[in-house]
Every structure is written in C-alpha cells, then in structure tokens.
Amino acid sequence: MARGILPDQLYGTVRVNDAVIEIIEVLEEQPWGARSCPPHTHAWFECNYIYEGSMKTGFGGPLLNVGPGEFFLVPAGAEHRHEYMPQSPHRGVCMRWTVAPADSSAAGGAGSVYAALEGLRQWQLGCYEDRYGLGERIMRLFEETRETGSLASVQLTFVQIVLTIAAVRHPEGRAAPAAVDQSDTAFLRKIEVYLNDERAEKMNVRRLADALHVSYNHLARKYKRLTGKTIVGRLTEIRLARALDLLQRTDASIGAIAEVSGFGAAHYFSRVFKDVYGVSPKTYRKGWNEEAQKEPGATSVLSAD
C-alpha cells in the first residue's frame, strides 16, 4: 500500500525555535489491490496529499471523496478510515510527524512554533483543496532528495510544509460530516441487544463487529473505554446468566445448557462456570434445588442428553 520515498538518514528530529519536530516518514501511497483501511488512530500527525485518481476517507461519519490536488490532515489521536477505488486508484504522498516542546518552561509564548503545531490537534477534519502550495513544496522535497540528498535542506522543506498547514486558520473545502452514531448510549444499546439475542447462541464478537460495520479492534477499544469491560467478558456474563436461569428452572443436562447458553462444549462451560462461581454447574444446581426446595412436578424445557 505504501513505501518510503526518502532515505532513512533524512528522517529524524529538527529543532525550530521552541519546537522539536520528529520526521517519522514520507510515504508514496498507491492501493496495490487494497480496498479499505478500517477505523484506527495513531500517535502522530499525518497529512495525505493526492496527485492522481481518488480515494475516500472518513472520521466517524460518511466518507468524503478525495481527488487530485486535495489533501486531508489527521491530527494525533483522531480516528479515521479509508476506502480505495479500483476504478480510479489514487497516487499520493503520506507525511507523518510528531511535535514536542524544546523547552517545556518556555514553550507556548508569543510566536511559539510549538503552539502553532500543537494547534493542529484542533484542525477541522475534512477534505481540502490545495490553495496553499503544498503540492509544489512536496515536489520540491522529492527534487532536493534526488539532487542534493542534503539532510538540512530536505528537513527544512519538510518543516516548511508543516508550518504552511499550521498557518491555515480556515481551510477551504469540505468539512467531515457528523458521525452516523449519535451517541455512546446508542452504541452500547445496539451491542446489548445483539449480545442478548437468544437466537445468537453461536455468535462471536467478530460477527458483531461486522454487524455494526466497524473493525473488531475499533469495537473492542470503544467498548472497553465506555464500560471498563471487554466485549468477550460481557458476552460471557450474558451466557452465564442464561445458564444460571436454566440450571435453576429446568432439569436439562449440563451439555444441553452449555449448548443453548452459547458455550458449546460442556467441559468448557463447566470450567468457566467454576472459575466465576467457585463450584461446578452440577454442584450449583444441587445446592440451588436443596435451598429452594423445588416443588415436585417441575419439568424441563429442554430435553436431557
């Protein structure tokens, strides 16, 4: 999908006034048969510039078309995803960098380069027409690499590109649409409905991610952030609750309960059950029946093995 276009020795850190910019990489981007890149985040800033063809990018909502002479900036920590268009494969450049204060006690004052570059975290997400000479500066970066290979010259041009972006206060183009999912509550509600569907005994979390049209990693990260639990852990809780109910109100076999509650194999169900409750399902049922003094005539809603 991407390959480096600058020699390794031209990467590294450069100090500009009160900022230290780390040039991570400059990549040539071409689809090479890839169709999409799922939602993800990263710790660096990233600027993608398209020279030919087109692609789509999004920041939690509907995708935007990005064509020749357009660019988009991904601030550090911003979630985004891409789709590639086989009928019009794009060719572009991806630049990645980080910024840190050269001196934390002095950074952020009047004329601060660090403050200007950190301000890109609040960049208005979207797709923008290049009215700022970015394409020309990027081409100059390539030319200097080929003709001189000078570390100072190439790094200076890279810094000029980054500072040009930082100087844009109101980019002209198409802002990213609002996210489709309007609230975290709706996101969690959909997950609960899906996990509690009694027809989904064989369901797994990757199929859940597909149903929500997100990657499994995105689903797992967001659910953990919102609930403090893993999606697999929550699914196990639901299955155990279903198994407890069946143990208490039926005389179905352990194997049948394991199957219906979603655990599948009886030995796996018994192991998980004992890890959580400290006793086997069989012992639990016996104790429950004795304590509840179950009335004679109770029947099973499941057939025993």
Side-chain angles (χ1 to χ4, degrees), residues 36 63 70 93 111 127 141 147 179-180 183 202 227 231 291 296 300:
S36 65
L63 295 171
E70 295 182 322
V93 172
C127 166
L141 187 71
E147 295 174 2
V180 174
S183 69
K202 303 297 185 182
T227 68
I231 197 77
E291 183 176 341
S300 172

Side-chain angles (χ1 to χ4, degrees), residues 90-304:
H90 76 282
R91 184 177 69 87
V93 172
C94 172
M95 298 172 290
R96 293 169 175 161
W97 70 92
T98 63
V99 60
D103 182 349
S104 58
S105 62
S112 168
V113 172
Y114 173 72
L117 296 180
E118 269 292 288
L120 288 175
R121 291 182 184 273
Q122 282 71 53
W123 175 269
Q124 182 174 300
L125 301 175
C127 166
Y128 300 104
E129 182 181 349
D130 178 18
R131 301 186 179 186
Y132 319 104
L134 295 179
E136 295 178 2
R137 292 183 185 276
I138 293 172
M139 294 306 296
R140 188 184 309 161
L141 187 71
F142 303 157
E143 293 170 0
E144 291 173 350
T145 301
R146 289 193 302 266
E147 295 174 2
T148 69
S150 166
L151 174 63
S153 178
V154 172
Q155 289 187 339
L156 176 60
T157 300
F158 186 98
V159 169
Q160 289 174 338
I161 294 171
V162 173
L163 290 176
T164 297
I165 299 171
V168 179
R169 293 290 179 264
H170 304 287
E172 298 184 31
R174 305 184 302 284
V180 174
D181 192 348
Q182 296 300 315
S183 69
D184 291 337
T185 300
F187 177 82
L188 293 175
R189 185 166 58 248
K190 287 185 287 187
I191 292 175
E192 282 297 297
V193 168
Y194 198 98
L195 294 181
N196 279 281
D197 185 354
E198 292 187 0
R199 297 168 299 176
E201 298 94 357
K202 303 297 185 182
M203 191 217 71
N204 62 52
V205 289
R206 293 194 180 275
R207 286 205 291 271
L208 169 59
D210 291 341
L212 295 176
H213 306 293
V214 297
S215 71
Y216 169 70
N217 288 337
H218 169 71
L219 172 66
R221 284 195 305 268
K222 186 169 183 178
Y223 192 85
K224 178 72 173 178
R225 175 174 61 81
L226 294 175
T227 68
K229 303 177 181 179
T230 66
I231 197 77
V232 173
R234 177 56 185 150
L235 179 58
T236 300
E237 287 179 355
I238 291 171
R239 288 173 170 172
L240 282 172
R242 187 178 299 165
L244 275 176
D245 177 63
L246 294 172
L247 285 169
Q248 293 170 6
R249 66 183 179 86
T250 79
D251 60 359
S253 70
I254 301 302
I257 291 176
E259 181 67 20
V260 171
S261 58
F263 288 96
H267 68 276
Y268 173 66
F269 165 54
S270 296
R271 182 170 49 118
V272 173
F273 191 96
K274 189 170 184 178
D275 286 343
V276 174
Y277 296 107
V279 295
S280 69
K282 184 176 180 180
T283 301
Y284 174 88
R285 169 182 270 166
K286 181 179 179 181
W288 170 268
N289 288 339
E290 291 175 351
E291 183 176 341
Q293 296 181 347
K294 188 174 181 180
E295 294 181 2
T299 59
S300 172
V301 297
L302 299 175
S303 60

